[in-house]
Amino acid sequence: MNGGLWARRSIALYLLAWLMLGLLLAGLVHAGSGAGPGASLLFALPLTLCYAIGCGFSAYYLCRAYPLAQRSLRAVLPVFAFSALTAALLWCAAGSAWAALCRLVLGEGQALAVTRPFVAVMLGIGVLLYWMTAVAHYLALEFERARRAETRELESRLLAQDAELRMLRTQIDPHFLFNSLNSISALTAIDAGRARDMSLLLAGFFRQTLGLEAHRKVLLTEEVQLAERFLAIEQVRFGPRLAFEHRLGEGAGGCLLPPMILQPLVENAVKHGIGQLLEGGTITVVAERAGSLLRIRVENDTDPDDAGTRTAGSGIGLVNVRQRLAAAYGREGSVHWARDDNKFRVDLVLPAETEEKG
């Protein structure tokens, strides 16, 4: 909430509460002294609103000067007792002067007659109202302090989460670059032209990913495009042995997810799946939106005779994806992987966020 708007609303509520107290005081004056309704309102309302302003400023600055978290009640109570008594005495003096002025305007028959019992009642009411104002200010200051502490805590959590996401994201780039440079090195001795093409594609891929920030999300369609760019790099080495398919269900392509969350899964599919098959295979990305959830599956062909490959999920790609989902979504995001005969699949489940939701 805007600070200026909050202050204006607080002042309006404060004056409204004092206006109601003024009406109550006018009713007491009318019932106790026999003054007419008009004279009672003329006496009580201006006097109460002036006291509201005086009490408000006085109690506010005293509450700031004597915070309860830093001062003991033994030090605070005498200050507020003296201030309340002083303010109430000034209020009674102002009331007597205002009553005298009202008598001059309205005449002796309709104006309020200020007596000692009435002044004593005003004195007691003035002290109580001052203390109530001080308590209200202390509550408001405590609420403000708690809100600032909550805001700082939230900012700290967001910064820590952002730092964790950045750290996890930086694990991907060196890992991918290391594998790509190894492939280029291997191609250099076999086909210098293909090695050059792969280098250019790699430069273009990193140029596109440099603008991605760890704390911002991208569309699933953009993630799939990044996966296609990556596979275009790998296809220089594998040729027709490497195929890629993707199917995005209705509404799935417009969902948001952490950047480069699919790339390590596709990279693992190439390295541990297609790369181990002489005849090659297909990498498939399927995404569907099911209500408030987005389900993504990355599936690839693998060697049926190598049953131990990637079943433990100990590779950096799978671990990284699991940690990034946990950091971004908590328990709402999950990743599971399984092997079925000659297929290895990784299933991601995360909230279906869209640009409209922020």
Side-chain angles (χ1 to χ4, degrees):
M1 181 180 292
N2 182 271
L5 181 60
W6 171 259
R8 287 193 296 270
R9 287 184 177 180
S10 299
I11 293 173
L13 290 174
Y14 177 77
L15 293 178
L16 179 61
W18 276 89
L19 181 61
M20 296 174 64
L21 290 173
L23 294 174
L24 179 61
L25 180 60
L28 294 175
V29 169
H30 175 65
S33 66
S40 300
L41 288 173
L42 181 62
F43 172 79
L45 290 183
L47 192 65
T48 303
L49 291 178
C50 289
Y51 194 54
I53 296 173
C55 282
F57 280 106
S58 174
Y60 174 79
Y61 286 109
L62 282 178
C63 290
R64 289 281 189 179
Y66 293 88
L68 293 179
Q70 301 176 9
R71 303 293 185 95
S72 64
L73 286 178
R74 187 176 301 177
V76 172
L77 288 179
V79 174
F80 279 94
F82 176 77
S83 300
L85 182 59
T86 302
L89 288 173
L90 292 174
W91 191 44
C92 291
S96 300
W98 181 242
L101 183 60
C102 290
R103 282 198 300 272
L104 292 176
V105 175
L106 301 177
E108 294 290 340
Q110 296 184 4
L112 172 66
V114 179
T115 61
R116 287 186 177 181
F118 180 76
V119 172
V121 172
M122 278 192 63
L123 181 65
I125 293 175
V127 171
L128 289 176
L129 290 178
Y130 189 95
W131 284 346
M132 289 174 60
T133 304
V135 170
H137 279 305
Y138 270 128
L139 289 176
L141 291 174
E142 182 63 23
F143 174 76
E144 181 183 354
R145 185 196 64 80
R147 188 174 59 174
R148 286 200 304 267
E150 183 179 358
T151 301
R152 287 195 299 268
E153 181 183 0
L154 179 60
E155 290 175 350
S156 299
R157 289 169 57 188
L158 290 176
L159 289 174
Q161 185 184 71
D162 184 64
E164 183 177 5
L165 288 173
R166 288 179 182 275
M167 182 271 294
L168 292 172
R169 164 71 187 281
T170 55
Q171 292 179 358
I172 297 176
D173 296 338
H175 185 62
F176 169 49
L177 182 60
F178 174 78
N179 290 336
S180 299
L181 291 178
N182 274 346
S183 299
I184 293 173
S185 176
L187 280 175
T188 302
I190 303 173
D191 191 333
R194 291 170 64 194
R196 180 179 180 277
D197 292 340
M198 190 172 184
S199 299
L200 293 175
L201 288 172
L202 182 63
F205 178 84
F206 275 107
R207 185 162 48 248
Q208 181 178 358
T209 59
L210 281 176
L212 300 177
E213 299 183 27
H215 66 284
R216 294 185 178 178
K217 295 183 174 66
V218 298
L219 295 174
L220 176 59
T221 52
E222 296 175 341
E223 271 293 286
V224 174
Q225 290 174 1
L226 281 175
E228 287 181 313
R229 279 182 170 269
F230 165 76
L231 291 176
I233 297 172
E234 293 292 348
Q235 281 175 337
V236 175
R237 178 161 60 104
F238 288 97
R241 292 174 54 207
L242 175 59
F244 176 62
E245 297 178 357
H246 65 274
R247 298 189 298 273
L248 304 184
E250 183 178 357
C255 293
L256 299 171
L257 66 167
M260 296 188 71
I261 199 73
L262 297 182
Q263 187 269 333
L265 301 181
V266 175
E267 181 182 353
N268 277 355
V270 174
K271 181 179 179 181
H272 300 289
I274 309 303
Q276 308 300 319
L277 298 173
L278 293 177
E279 68 278 10
T282 302
I283 299 174
T284 306
V285 175
V286 180
E288 295 181 353
R289 180 172 180 176
S292 61
L293 296 178
L294 176 64
R295 301 180 182 275
I296 304 173
R297 170 171 291 185
V298 179
E299 186 177 75
N300 64 274
D301 296 310
T302 189
D303 188 354
D305 296 329
D306 190 8
T309 301
R310 290 206 300 153
T311 55
S314 58
I316 186 173
L318 292 172
V319 173
N320 186 283
V321 169
R322 180 172 57 191
Q323 290 177 338
R324 291 185 67 195
L325 288 179
Y329 302 108
R331 295 185 177 181
E332 295 182 339
S334 63
V335 56
H336 303 280
W337 49 84
R339 183 189 180 109
D340 184 13
D341 294 332
N342 62 337
K343 295 286 186 181
F344 185 86
R345 60 180 178 270
V346 181
D347 292 311
L348 306 180
V349 179
L350 57 151
E353 300 177 352
T354 62
E355 287 184 313
E356 287 76 11
K357 294 181 180 179

